[in-house]
Amino acid sequence: MVYSFTQISQYLRCPRSYRYRYLDGWREKETRAGMVFGRCFENALGAYFRREDCGAVLFQEWAAYRDAPFAYKRAETWDRFVHQGIHLLERFVQADRVRIDNPTKNLQVKILQTLPGGSEFIAYLDAIGEVDGVPCVIDWKTTASRYADDPEGLLSLDPQLICYSWISGISEVALIVFVRKHAPEIQYLRASISEEQRREFGRLVETTVHQIESGHFNPHSGIRFPQNGCVSCSHLGLCLGNEQLIAANLIRRAGATDLDWLDELMD
Ligand code: SF4
């Protein structure tokens, strides 16, 4: 088996949801405009570091979804996304705080690690480069609202960044957050991940994989704050036996579990 951060975090959220997704093949329909736009935007960032026309790449990639049946949130439109994206790219280029040498090698960096039981763990780091002159692992995010950055050091508790630090062995990490709001903003957030955090994450991966391979998929259900995971769970229809919800949110592609690690590329 090949595991990824997305798989481990889904299992930790709710093992039943993991079983629906990774064993039974129930996937969420791709109706979220923000997620698809995020992928187009990251391709445009790649073009910028390769010294190509990043604005043209963003427009071209996003144009493929002009008539896609996305469920846009209030005040969101196809045009609004592209305008915000171009504005964010301009601000990013002007600020010039991020450097990626040799983008062919240091963008979408694939790292594969063999786990003690013989399974493998795969990660695709968005980039390895420098932020404000500090060498680090870089993760891009596009979002509609700012990331919490207070109190100081909060970012060092982000599990995805801890995972990337663990698999790369690089202690310095950065999250570059492209905030699509009325006045677009870019957050440059940095943190240091300790050796102890990396060791703990390695142990978490091992115990989680052991649970998965032992066939433990009990539900972690919850509908009340702060454990209200069922409310936003795409598999809710399956747990409630609600055919209408299943048809609205899910699509079944059984038999493709060997390619599930590809989710990592989209995260
Ligand atoms: S609806 Fe709740 S119990 Fe069911 S899979 Fe989702 S999170 Fe788990």
Side-chain angles (χ1 to χ4, degrees):
M1 278 295 290
V2 181
Y3 294 94
S4 67
F5 172 77
T6 313
Q7 282 168 265
I8 298 296
S9 71
Q10 178 143 2
Y11 183 87
L12 293 172
R13 235 180 0 250
C14 176
R16 180 60 49 86
S17 171
Y18 178 97
R19 195 190 79 189
Y20 286 144
R21 169 66 183 81
Y22 292 103
L23 273 68
D24 301 344
W26 288 103
R27 289 158 187 255
E28 196 172 345
K29 283 185 183 169
E30 204 162 76
T31 55
R32 286 176 297 171
M35 209 178 93
V36 177
F37 180 79
R39 287 212 297 274
C40 298
F41 191 83
E42 288 188 20
N43 288 336
L45 285 174
Y48 163 67
F49 288 110
R50 290 191 301 273
R51 299 178 188 279
E52 297 165 11
D53 184 342
C54 54
V57 169
L58 177 65
F59 192 84
Q60 193 184 326
E61 295 259 337
W62 186 230
Y65 299 97
R66 194 189 280 268
D67 301 317
F70 289 142
Y72 284 104
K73 289 186 188 152
R74 197 167 48 87
E76 283 183 348
T77 62
W78 186 93
D79 286 295
R80 198 172 162 84
F81 268 94
V82 80
H83 282 126
Q84 288 172 332
I86 296 290
H87 193 158
L88 283 164
L89 284 172
E90 283 170 358
R91 289 188 76 136
F92 184 69
V93 172
Q94 274 163 14
D96 193 24
R97 293 174 63 177
V98 181
R99 303 218 177 270
I100 314 281
D101 289 334
N102 194 350
T104 315
K105 182 170 159 257
N106 290 323
L107 286 172
Q108 282 292 330
V109 183
K110 176 184 172 183
I111 305 183
L112 199 61
Q113 183 161 313
T114 304
L115 300 172
S119 292
E120 290 181 308
F121 192 99
I122 196 167
Y124 281 87
L125 314 186
D126 282 346
I128 296 179
E130 285 183 10
V131 176
D132 296 331
V134 178
C136 54
V137 172
I138 300 169
D139 197 36
W140 321 116
K141 291 283 179 229
T142 52
T143 169
S145 47
R146 298 184 94 247
Y147 271 41
D149 55 0
D150 188 49
E152 203 185 325
L154 191 62
L155 194 70
S156 67
L157 300 181
D158 182 88
Q160 192 168 15
L161 292 176
I162 294 171
C163 169
Y164 291 165
S165 175
W166 164 71
I167 203 160
S168 67
I170 300 171
S171 59
E172 295 301 311
V173 292
L175 192 58
I176 312 298
V177 187
F178 297 88
V179 192
R180 295 182 292 99
K181 52 182 189 174
H182 183 62
E185 179 190 352
I186 304 174
Q187 293 176 279
Y188 298 81
L189 309 173
R190 286 202 294 106
S192 296
I193 307 298
S194 69
E195 182 62 43
E196 176 61 13
Q197 284 178 291
R198 283 194 287 277
R199 266 200 303 274
E200 283 170 351
F201 189 83
R203 286 198 292 271
L204 182 67
V205 169
E206 274 176 48
T207 51
T208 307
V209 166
H210 179 71
Q211 295 273 314
I212 293 170
E213 296 184 350
S214 305
H216 296 156
F217 300 109
N218 294 319
H220 289 183
S221 64
I223 59 162
R224 298 188 202 180
F225 180 82
Q227 285 177 307
N228 51 355
C230 296
V231 178
S232 58
C233 177
S234 56
H235 296 126
L236 180 62
L238 292 168
C239 283
L240 295 180
N242 182 323
E243 293 295 336
Q244 217 177 336
L245 264 181
I246 295 171
N249 297 322
L250 299 171
I251 184 163
R252 191 167 193 194
R253 284 192 215 143
T257 50
D258 53 332
L259 295 177
D260 281 340
W261 55 267
L262 281 170
D263 280 357
E264 179 71 4
L265 273 173
M266 301 175 192
D267 188 45

